[in-house]
């Protein structure tokens, strides 16, 4: 295999990895603050992509404006979901699973009936390629990664530097400690869902502009997101970021280095090996 | 009266664990609640801070009824509860923990000043201000938990067995911190302690809770002299 194929693979892996990180970060926030595994998060990503498609292609709004609006729409949607569906089921085991699986079906059917089964596409983020060591890397992937990284930095600064961000981290580390300092847990859950859903909408839009849109496009990223949070350490935000990049690179490089059969099971084998060595995940706490 | 509990009854899963207790804490007072394991001391504190609902009874603070309120509103009126498990945030720095102690305060400038003063008063915390709270020793974590409570600038502190699991030297230090807080800030304190000797040294008054009922109350001197206390809690 030549150097240019490797560079392509790494570039693809990187782009994929950051999309996974956007999903995994939302899942992690929701899991660590609400104690809920949001299995319909992939469908939030899918609907986010369709909202951008609707605004941009059907109504003719600028692509970047559409993406920003889609993030806001999905954040509000997340707040509504939290208040009416997930809040009553918090800190229980079975109800959130049933609710989020039901939600998956509802959102998928909604997409099928509204937008149809035929694949749709969002315009590319940019045309053309840039050259890296004699190989062409499409500009739109570079922009997608740039967006994802910028969003993650924003989330990081919010969590680290603002009062409400700190309150969210605190709620994840000790729900009772947060209560006793006057932090309103419902507000923290709303925030977690709003941020998580906005990130998913951004991920769906970025992926949708590189690949295609269809009602089942959220299933695969959700699986990746789940693997990442286990890999990174349940509830660790840094773990979600590093885990996503590792998984993205594995996904990008393996198909180039090995035949497709091996490439499709290898990520899971690698993850299992990592977890055997470090059962609490890469950045897991306990 | 600053703080008053009237005929409080609390159930856990159908079992009555607090059976109609009444107690008071006055402005500037340290009051201790003594009792063996399972007597209902922690339950009483959890009801005060809004973590658990009572079955019946009333709780008053500065002329305001505060039972059946959310923990946020209890913090807002000026009551801070430091639970036995401390509930600091282990993967946040000492400084971040302290800032969160002032979460509901709006007077930003004063919070900053208070934080500086506090670090001067607690050199152990200052030394470790950038360290993760979970890496502190047990005693230091207890000091941090109390310091976080001070950041809220509250009028009444509820302390649940602050000396539990600490070395004798640390127990002394925590004792000194508690009496300093009371003297220097005139903060009222409701103190739960297994270490009855320490509790009676720090407190002005005390109540003895046995299986959910108050069986004895009085000033610290009266309780120290009481035959019942000597036999049941002071080992002779
Ligand atoms: N979460 C709970 N669920 C059921 N019973 C409880 C719970 N917490 C405490 N209890 C019971 O309530 C009684 C009083 O407990 P507690 O208030 O913790 O006592 P203390 O703090 O005086 O040792 C005990 O009998 C205990 O078993
Ligand atoms: Mg107790």
């Amino acid at each position: 295999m030549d150097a240019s194929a490797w560079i392509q693979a790494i570039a693809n892996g990187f782009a994929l990895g950051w999309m996974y990180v956007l999903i995994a970060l939302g899942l992690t926030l929701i899991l660590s603050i609400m104690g809920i595994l949001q299995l319909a998060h992939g469908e939030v990503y899918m609907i986010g992509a369709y909202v951008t498609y609707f605004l941009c292609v059907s109504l003719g709004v600028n692509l970047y404006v559409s993406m920003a609006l889609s993030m806001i729409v999905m954040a509000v949607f997340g707040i509504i979901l939290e208040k009416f569906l997930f809040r009553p089921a918090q800190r229980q085991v079975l109800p959130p699973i049933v609710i989020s699986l039901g939600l998956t079906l509802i959102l998928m059917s909604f997409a099928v009936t509204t937008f149809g089964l035929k694949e749709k596409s969002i315009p590319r983020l940019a045309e053309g390629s840039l050259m890296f060591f004699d190989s062409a890397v499409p500009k739109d992937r570079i922009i997608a990664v740039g967006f994802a990284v910028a969003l993650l930095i924003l989330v990081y600064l919010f969590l680290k530097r603002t009062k409400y961000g700190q309150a969210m981290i605190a709620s994840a580390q000790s729900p009772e400690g947060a209560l006793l300092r006057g932090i309103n847990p419902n507000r923290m859950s709303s925030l977690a869902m709003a941020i998580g859903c906005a990130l998913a909408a951004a991920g769906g839009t970025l992926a949708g502009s590189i690949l295609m849109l269809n009602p089942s496009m959220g299933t695969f990223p959700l699986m990746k997101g789940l693997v990442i949070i286990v890999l990174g350490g349940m509830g660790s935000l840094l773990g979600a970021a590093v885990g996503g990049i590792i998984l993205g690179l594995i996904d990008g490089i393996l198909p180039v280095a090995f035949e497709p059969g091996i490439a499709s099971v290898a990520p899971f084998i690698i993850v299992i090996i990592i977890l055997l060595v470090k059962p609490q995940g890469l950045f897991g706490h306990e | 009266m600053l703080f008053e509990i009237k005929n409080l009854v609390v159930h856990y899963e159908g079992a009555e664990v607090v059976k109609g207790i009444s107690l008071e804490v006055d402005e500037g007072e340290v009051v201790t609640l003594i009792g063996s394991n399972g007597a209902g001391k922690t339950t009483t504190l959890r009801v005060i801070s809004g973590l658990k609902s009572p079955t019946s009874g009333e709780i008053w603070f500065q002329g305001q009824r505060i039972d059946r309120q959310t923990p946020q509103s209890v913090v807002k009126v000026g009551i801070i509860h430091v639970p036995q498990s401390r509930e600091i945030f282990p993967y946040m720095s000492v400084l971040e923990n302290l800032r969160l102690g002032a979460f509901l305060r709006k007077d930003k400038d004063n919070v900053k000043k208070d934080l500086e003063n506090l670090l001067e008063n607690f050199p152990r915390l200052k030394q470790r201000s950038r360290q993760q709270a979970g890496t502190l020793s047990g005693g230091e974590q207890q000091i941090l938990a109390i310091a976080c409570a001070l950041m809220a600038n509250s009028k009444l502190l509820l302390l649940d067995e602050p000396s539990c699991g600490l070395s004798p030297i640390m127990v002394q230090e925590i004792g000194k911190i508690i009496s300093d807080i009371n003297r220097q800030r005139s903060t009222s304190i409701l103190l739960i302690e297994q270490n009855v000797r320490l509790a009676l040294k720090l407190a002005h008054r005390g109540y003895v809770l046995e299986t959910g009922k108050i069986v004895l109350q009085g000033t610290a001197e009266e309780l120290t002299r009481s035959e019942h206390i000597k036999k049941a809690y002071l080992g002779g």
Side-chain angles (χ1 to χ4, degrees):
Chain A
M1 197 172 73
D2 61 12
S4 122
W6 277 102
I7 289 176
Q8 285 287 352
I10 291 172
N12 275 337
F14 233 68
L16 278 171
W18 286 105
M19 300 310 112
Y20 298 158
V21 174
L22 286 177
I23 284 259
L25 200 61
L27 275 174
T28 302
L29 274 176
I30 293 166
L31 175 67
S32 60
I33 289 178
M34 299 164 61
I36 282 175
L37 203 49
Q38 215 304 54
L39 295 173
H41 205 61
E43 279 58 52
V44 173
Y45 163 100
M46 177 270 293
I47 296 285
Y50 275 107
V51 170
T52 304
Y53 166 83
F54 175 73
L55 291 168
C56 180
V57 178
S58 308
L59 301 184
V61 180
N62 169 286
L63 173 60
Y64 292 97
V65 175
S66 301
M67 177 168 142
L69 288 174
S70 167
M71 289 175 70
I72 294 171
V73 168
M74 296 317 286
V76 173
F77 182 59
I79 291 172
I80 294 169
L81 286 182
E82 190 278 321
K83 189 165 166 71
F84 295 104
L85 279 185
F86 291 117
R87 191 178 300 174
Q90 255 182 54
R91 314 254 160 245
Q92 289 172 274
V93 182
L94 216 46
I97 296 177
V98 176
I99 289 170
S100 60
L101 283 178
L103 188 61
T104 300
L105 297 177
I106 292 170
L107 294 178
M108 267 197 201
S109 323
F110 170 78
V112 171
T113 52
T114 315
F115 299 101
L117 280 168
K118 227 179 92 197
E119 291 204 318
K120 308 275 187 213
S121 61
I122 297 175
R124 285 177 177 281
L125 294 161
E127 297 296 335
S129 313
L130 287 182
M131 296 305 286
F132 275 106
F133 304 102
D134 293 341
S135 55
V137 178
K139 270 189 198 160
D140 63 344
R141 308 214 164 176
I142 298 171
I143 293 179
V145 170
F147 261 113
V149 172
L151 283 172
L152 296 171
I153 291 175
L154 277 180
V155 171
Y156 176 81
L157 289 177
F158 168 75
L159 291 173
K160 204 69 190 163
R161 296 286 162 80
T162 71
K163 191 167 150 170
Y164 276 91
Q166 289 278 288
M168 283 180 84
I169 296 182
S171 303
Q173 293 184 9
S174 164
E176 192 164 294
L179 273 175
L180 290 175
R181 281 161 185 75
I183 295 168
N184 181 336
N186 293 334
R187 200 170 288 169
M188 294 301 117
S189 300
S190 291
L191 261 176
M193 276 295 275
I195 294 173
C197 291
L199 291 178
T205 302
L206 294 174
S209 75
I210 292 174
L211 310 166
M212 285 288 192
L213 269 62
N214 66 64
S216 61
M217 68 186 274
T219 314
F220 188 67
L222 176 79
M223 303 255 284
K224 293 293 177 184
L226 293 176
V227 171
I228 289 168
I229 58 178
V230 175
L231 179 63
M234 299 290 251
S236 163
L237 297 173
L238 181 62
V242 177
I245 296 306
I246 292 178
L247 203 61
L249 286 177
I250 293 174
D251 280 358
I253 293 170
L254 288 180
V256 184
F258 300 100
E259 56 184 274
I262 298 177
S264 63
V265 291
F268 292 101
I269 295 175
I270 293 176
V271 167
I272 289 169
I273 292 172
I274 292 177
L275 290 178
L276 281 176
V277 179
K278 207 160 181 293
Q280 70 276 44
L282 292 171
F283 293 88
H285 287 320
E286 29 277 342
Chain B
M1 193 53 58
L2 178 74
F3 174 81
E4 205 170 349
I5 293 180
K6 294 179 187 168
N7 299 317
L8 189 70
V9 177
V10 190
H11 284 80
Y12 261 123
E13 291 151 14
E16 196 181 36
V17 296
V18 174
K19 305 170 179 171
I21 67 168
S22 298
L23 65 82
E24 296 173 349
V25 181
D26 210 346
E27 209 80 58
E29 237 186 348
V30 179
V31 172
T32 182
L33 192 55
I34 295 167
S36 45
N37 246 335
K41 308 179 297 294
T42 296
T43 305
T44 305
L45 288 204
R46 290 178 70 83
V47 170
I48 299 172
S49 57
L51 292 173
K52 167 137 188 73
S53 296
T55 312
S56 64
E58 297 176 5
I59 305 176
W60 291 80
F61 184 71
Q62 293 188 310
Q64 213 180 329
R65 224 177 128 175
I66 58 155
D67 47 281
R68 295 175 181 79
Q69 306 248 341
T70 60
Q72 294 91 263
S73 25
V74 175
V75 174
K76 234 176 247 170
V77 297
I79 300 178
I80 291 283
H81 175 185
V82 182
Q84 192 177 343
S85 47
R86 295 165 193 153
E87 302 300 331
I88 56 169
F89 307 114
Y91 307 106
M92 298 179 91
S93 73
V94 167
L95 216 50
E96 288 171 330
N97 267 276
L98 289 169
R99 289 207 186 94
L100 277 167
F103 181 76
L104 283 181
R105 283 174 67 181
K106 302 272 182 273
D107 50 339
K108 269 194 185 164
D109 296 338
N110 291 335
V111 170
K112 228 176 141 202
K113 265 182 233 146
D114 287 357
L115 183 57
E116 281 164 19
N117 289 337
L118 200 92
L119 288 174
E120 291 309 316
N121 285 334
F122 294 100
R124 278 172 182 281
L125 297 183
K126 192 176 182 179
Q127 268 172 19
R128 309 194 187 295
S129 62
R130 313 234 158 246
Q131 224 166 294
Q132 283 197 347
T135 64
L136 302 184
S137 73
E140 288 164 346
Q141 291 191 19
Q142 185 62 58
I143 294 176
L144 176 61
I146 294 175
C148 287
L150 294 181
M151 284 301 294
N153 211 3
S154 61
K155 301 191 190 72
L156 176 64
L157 270 186
L158 312 174
L159 302 179
D160 198 342
E161 304 204 19
S163 80
C164 182
L166 303 185
S167 68
I169 293 176
M170 243 338 169
V171 171
Q172 290 295 315
E173 187 163 340
I174 295 281
K176 182 166 181 325
I177 288 172
I178 293 172
S179 75
D180 283 352
I181 290 170
N182 174 248
R183 285 210 198 99
Q184 290 162 10
R185 300 168 168 256
S186 64
T187 305
S188 304
I189 297 172
L190 180 55
L191 173 69
I192 292 182
E193 257 306 334
Q194 289 277 337
N195 185 336
V196 173
R197 221 175 286 276
L198 177 74
L200 289 177
K201 208 176 90 194
L202 294 173
H204 302 109
R205 290 191 305 112
Y207 296 83
V208 180
L209 192 63
E210 284 175 8
T211 55
K213 283 202 188 100
I214 287 175
V215 295
L216 196 63
Q217 67 185 74
T219 63
E221 296 84 70
E222 286 165 0
L223 291 178
T224 312
R225 283 198 305 268
S226 141
E227 285 305 317
H228 180 72
I229 297 255
K230 277 186 193 155
K231 256 206 216 106
Y233 300 100
L234 296 175

